[in-house]
Amino acid sequence: MMESVLPYIIRWCLLANVVAGLIVIYIASRVRNSILHEKFLTGGVGLIVIHCLHALLVAAFFYDRPYLDWGAPYGLGYGPLLYFALRSSLADHRLVARDYILHAAPFIIYYILYIVWLCFPSSGDLMYLIIRNSLFKAIILSFFCYGLYAFYLYRSGSLKLKHSLNLLTSAGLVLLIVGFLMISVDSSSPRSHASFYIPRLMMYGMMTIVVFVVLDHKVRLLSHPEADPYQQEQVAALETRSYAKSGVPAQTLALYEERVMQAVEGERLFLDPALNLERLSEVTKISRHHLSQIFSLNMGKSFTDYINQLRIEHACKELRLRNDVSIEQLGYECGFNSKVSFYRNFKLYTGSTPSQYLADVNASES
């Protein structure tokens, strides 16, 4: 019974992956993010779409030739893409051609063997034996190696971008889980009907989780590009490394910091929804270059984080003083351009929504 249902579950899973993956690619084209590991993230989803489309076509038109599905080495592409994304997230590493060639080689070699197998029937038996006996094991090995590498970077603290750390190490965990599950199936029932469908259901199910997590991430970037965690964290990291070598006297930066705080906090510029580094530079007569140094070196936070924190602190103060205030209107008064942005940042800094915060204030006063 279960074995007859598995193919249908897999097809629906494949279809969901293709549709959601295409949406991710479309959104990525709209966001136009220049961060390198963001591009590898989109590339990984693109590989999932191609993989799932291939499997759907085989299931629909070549169901009597299942080797067209399991013989395709797409599984060898996910680990290298994760590696490229991880390496591009490191503080002091630049990917070179040798990196791409070395890590993509297994996928390329097996794909060439796959094409030879399909195009030259005379080589069929030999290619079948090579692919049948080694591809599954090569995919498992790839998943383990790249998954463990992700956790090595996690434990060593080499990844400097917090959001990258969360998303990319989660992808490494997915590879490890699938690797373990594939080993259990390979060792328990290597020649059963289930040995064909169960590994694919596990892989495609994990793909579904990954695609929808990335979809959620891309939707957030499209809806609120100013809150791009990748962009903010990488810019702050790059500025810190660059400006630490600039030799600007610490005393000068301290004086500049006082001037910034006087303008932003003393004159309440943080309430201006149009406030940006350019505007702050005009008001304080400090170059944007030096302003970036102040935030990255002296304050240890980005300009956006500094301003949003002040706005949320002001909102909390107003909620304590004005119990009848309209929360949506308060968000605009505090300098936010939308209700969504206000709620998101309020939850980020306080751990609760404005409504919950106001309810707690009223409860403590009663």
Side-chain angles (χ1 to χ4, degrees):
M1 175 65 179
M2 177 59 68
E3 293 183 352
S4 63
V5 173
L6 284 176
Y8 296 99
I9 297 176
I10 289 174
R11 290 178 189 178
W12 280 107
C13 190
L14 290 169
L15 184 60
N17 291 345
V18 170
V19 173
L22 289 174
I23 295 174
V24 168
I25 295 171
Y26 170 74
I27 294 176
S29 69
R30 295 283 305 276
V31 173
R32 301 183 185 279
N33 197 304
S34 61
I35 303 301
L36 186 56
H37 53 261
E38 190 74 21
K39 294 180 179 180
F40 284 123
L41 193 64
T42 304
V45 173
L47 181 61
I48 289 176
V49 170
I50 295 172
H51 188 169
C52 293
L53 275 174
H54 178 104
L56 275 174
L57 289 174
V58 171
F61 302 105
F62 305 99
Y63 55 87
D64 58 334
R65 287 184 275 178
Y67 58 84
L68 294 177
D69 179 7
W70 61 255
Y74 294 109
L76 291 175
Y78 299 111
L81 280 171
L82 174 62
Y83 174 84
F84 299 147
L86 288 166
R87 296 299 287 182
S88 63
S89 299
L90 296 180
D92 300 302
H93 183 81
R94 182 183 297 273
L95 286 166
V96 296
R98 182 181 60 186
D99 295 323
Y100 293 110
I101 294 172
L102 179 63
H103 292 274
F107 172 78
I108 295 172
I109 291 171
Y110 271 95
Y111 206 85
I112 292 173
L113 292 175
Y114 178 70
I115 297 299
V116 170
W117 184 24
L118 298 182
C119 296
F120 300 97
S122 60
S123 66
D125 292 340
L126 177 61
M127 291 297 104
Y128 178 87
L129 289 174
I130 293 174
I131 294 176
R132 178 74 174 180
N133 293 333
S134 63
L135 179 60
F136 195 73
K137 294 178 176 62
I139 292 174
I140 293 175
L141 180 62
S142 174
F143 283 3
F144 271 102
C145 289
Y146 289 108
L148 290 173
Y149 178 73
F151 275 87
Y152 163 75
L153 292 182
Y154 169 77
R155 294 297 300 271
S156 66
S158 299
L159 286 175
K160 302 302 180 184
L161 308 185
K162 183 178 179 182
H163 200 274
S164 303
L165 179 68
N166 295 334
L167 197 58
L168 298 178
T169 52
S170 297
L173 177 62
V174 168
L175 293 185
L176 286 174
I177 291 174
V178 174
F180 275 115
L181 293 175
M182 291 175 72
I183 285 178
S184 65
V185 171
D186 189 39
S187 61
S188 62
S189 53
R191 297 185 180 180
S192 70
H193 181 76
S195 68
F196 176 76
Y197 288 110
I198 292 180
R200 281 148 189 80
L201 180 59
M202 293 186 300
M203 180 177 288
Y204 299 140
M206 288 295 180
M207 286 181 186
T208 303
I209 296 173
V210 170
V211 169
F212 277 90
V213 169
V214 176
L215 177 60
D216 175 71
H217 168 68
K218 295 290 186 181
V219 168
R220 291 175 185 270
L221 292 188
L222 181 64
S223 304
H224 312 289
E226 76 282 355
D228 181 354
Y230 286 134
Q231 187 72 45
Q232 292 175 8
E233 291 175 14
Q234 191 171 67
V235 167
L238 290 173
E239 287 177 348
T240 298
R241 294 199 306 273
S242 300
Y243 299 146
K245 303 176 182 179
S246 65
V248 177
Q251 186 177 3
T252 301
L253 288 180
L255 292 174
Y256 284 167
E257 182 181 2
E258 290 180 11
R259 196 187 303 177
V260 167
M261 295 177 67
Q262 173 59 32
V264 175
E265 301 179 32
E267 300 175 18
R268 297 161 71 89
L269 276 181
F270 66 89
L271 297 178
D272 181 2
L275 180 64
N276 54 28
L277 270 180
E278 225 173 279
R279 168 70 176 148
L280 184 59
S281 177
E282 293 174 1
V283 172
T284 59
K285 309 302 181 186
I286 302 173
S287 69
R288 291 185 59 181
H289 174 81
H290 288 145
L291 285 175
S292 297
Q293 285 184 278
I294 292 167
F295 289 115
S296 63
L297 296 179
N298 288 40
M299 296 186 178
K301 63 183 71 174
S302 69
F303 168 76
T304 303
D305 289 339
Y306 172 60
I307 298 301
N308 285 341
Q309 183 176 349
L310 291 175
R311 288 172 176 171
I312 297 304
E313 289 173 357
H314 179 75
C316 291
K317 180 180 178 181
E318 291 298 305
L319 286 173
R320 291 192 296 269
L321 296 176
R322 301 158 57 189
N323 292 342
D324 58 342
V325 66
S326 165
I327 292 178
E328 184 173 356
Q329 182 59 35
L330 178 61
Y332 291 114
E333 291 177 7
C334 292
F336 291 100
N337 291 314
S338 69
K339 177 182 177 181
V340 174
S341 179
F342 175 51
Y343 269 69
R344 185 182 64 253
N345 282 284
F346 197 98
K347 183 73 177 288
L348 177 66
Y349 286 100
T350 68
S352 63
T353 65
S355 301
Q356 293 169 339
Y357 186 88
L358 182 59
D360 291 341
V361 169
N362 291 334
S364 64
E365 292 178 353
S366 60

